[in-house]
Amino acid sequence: MNSDKHKFLTVSAAFFLSMISLIAAFDSLDPNGKIEIKWDVMYWTADGYVATVTITNSQTYRHITSPGWTLGWVWAKREVIWSMQGAEATDQGDCSTFPETIPHSCKRDPSVVDLLPGAPYNKQVAMCCKGGVLTSWGQDPSSAVSAFQLTVGRSGSSNKTVRLPKNFTLYGPGLGYTCGQAKIAPSSAFYSSDGRRKTNALMTWNVMCSYSQFLASETPTCCLSMSSFYNSKITPCKACACGCQDRATCILSESDHQSVTALNAPTNDSAPLLQCTIHNCPIQVHWHVKENYKGYWRVKITISNLNYRFNYSQWTLVVEHPNFNNTVEVYSFVHKPLTPFISKNDTALFHGLKSFNDVLLQAGPNGNVYSEMIFQKDSTFTLEQGWAFPRKVYFDGDECVMPFPDSYPFLPNLANANPILLSTLACILLPIFLTLLS
């Protein structure tokens, strides 16, 4: 009886956790954003097949950064990988039962990584060798696809004998992606370079992987701070927004950083080394309402990298604000509207200009990028009630922690305005008032 109860609780807990993962994986701003793994069997061999595996990042604003993706699976039978092009297995495994030709990998659960740029030409295939880095589809679709080829043995040589691999995993580069089961799909079509001949894969299956910030990190990775021209108050990021930090493990100043010579040398340590802040976030986004004109208003947005061990290549920023449908000009950033829902146009994707500011350098004097934006006013425009500030902000696909609404820079009124401001207004309005009376 106790055994049945324990089994029931275990199954219930597993179901509950899986449901949380599914819910956390849904992104309302990118509802169709996934990573698709397509496995095309191109031709049969004596004991298996040759397949082309294509990894497509269809996510609008989330990319895979260095050191890149790692793809894993479990073979359904006793398959081996005889050879690979465009990628390599990280572990050969035990191939002692092969006295003559040694396979590339004999592991039942291989892990595969992309080859680095500059790999030997005879090891390359089309769309390979990017070090596992994939841009988001919204930035550059041509760089959002990676591919490799593998020769599989001991698998059978027909559609009836081949079994689909199981338990696919994708690290991009860390945790965060959950992959579904492989499913048979209509055979992929391929066209010759002149477009006159069409061929088909002998067998095709697909795997879909979705991202969850909940699985990727125990704590948030960025936060938002605010300021405005009409209020001297700066709204900082929330305290401990990304977890509370031990002051002994962060850098207080640039002089402290320079004194630690080991930090200036290349390192494989992926653990962040952050600047000491109250919020403990690697990334801080600052939104400043800069100026107010008759028919327009101006904002400056700054992204600061507070991690001394990481450069953010091909970064992305997504902002929700109701005035984005009236964007007039964006300086220094590439701007694209995001419209996941036809009825709304209040979200924008930003990323850097290639070879100018598409890399956000590690913490230090150059560890920030910024741009200014001009918006046209419409009937909804107001500086009251925090309307001029974003509703949500995402950096590299992860949602940033927002300040509390009651801490936003407020618009001064006559009841609590600065005395200097009141006297200035009096000097301007009094002559007008006296003229009207006369």
Side-chain angles (χ1 to χ4, degrees), residues 65 103 178 199 203 247 295 319 350 378 394 397:
T65 59
T178 302
T199 57
M203 189 176 183
R247 288 281 168 171
V319 182
F350 302 95
D378 61 11
Y394 299 76

Side-chain angles (χ1 to χ4, degrees), residues 75-94:
W75 290 117
K77 299 193 287 187
R78 296 172 57 247
E79 293 92 335
V80 295
I81 301 175
W82 283 116
S83 63
M84 295 191 73
Q85 287 185 288
E88 62 185 358
T90 58
D91 189 348
Q92 184 183 47
D94 182 9

Side-chain angles (χ1 to χ4, degrees), residues 130-145:
K130 305 172 184 177
V133 174
L134 295 177
T135 61
S136 61
W137 194 266
Q139 277 180 285
D140 184 5
S142 65
S143 300
V145 182

Side-chain angles (χ1 to χ4, degrees), residues 44-49 77 152 154-162:
W44 305 114
T45 62
D47 68 337
Y49 59 86
K77 299 193 287 187
V152 180
R154 290 184 172 183
S155 64
S157 302
S158 71
N159 293 39
K160 294 182 179 180
T161 56
V162 168

Side-chain angles (χ1 to χ4, degrees), residues 65-220:
T65 59
S66 180
W69 54 261
T70 300
L71 179 64
W73 63 85
V74 176
W75 290 117
K77 299 193 287 187
R78 296 172 57 247
E79 293 92 335
V80 295
I81 301 175
W82 283 116
S83 63
M84 295 191 73
Q85 287 185 288
E88 62 185 358
T90 58
D91 189 348
Q92 184 183 47
D94 182 9
C95 295
S96 59
T97 58
F98 294 85
E100 297 179 3
T101 306
I102 306 300
H104 178 78
S105 175
C106 301
K107 285 185 69 68
R108 189 163 186 268
D109 56 343
S111 292
V112 171
V113 295
D114 193 13
L115 294 182
L116 296 173
Y121 184 76
N122 61 352
K123 291 187 177 181
Q124 296 185 28
V125 294
M127 298 184 293
C128 83
C129 314
K130 305 172 184 177
V133 174
L134 295 177
T135 61
S136 61
W137 194 266
Q139 277 180 285
D140 184 5
S142 65
S143 300
V145 182
S146 184
F148 61 90
Q149 192 175 81
L150 74 169
T151 302
V152 180
R154 290 184 172 183
S155 64
S157 302
S158 71
N159 293 39
K160 294 182 179 180
T161 56
V162 168
R163 296 290 179 266
L164 276 57
K166 302 178 292 184
N167 301 339
F168 277 84
T169 57
L170 179 68
Y171 295 93
L175 297 173
Y177 287 95
T178 302
C179 299
Q181 294 182 349
K183 296 182 179 180
I184 297 290
S187 295
S188 299
F190 302 93
Y191 294 87
S192 60
S193 57
D194 59 8
R196 300 174 65 186
R197 175 172 167 76
K198 173 187 173 184
T199 57
N200 292 89
L202 303 176
M203 189 176 183
T204 297
W205 58 82
N206 290 340
V207 178
M208 294 295 183
C209 301
S210 57
Y211 178 84
S212 167
Q213 186 176 347
F214 173 78
L215 295 177
S217 177
E218 294 181 357
T219 57

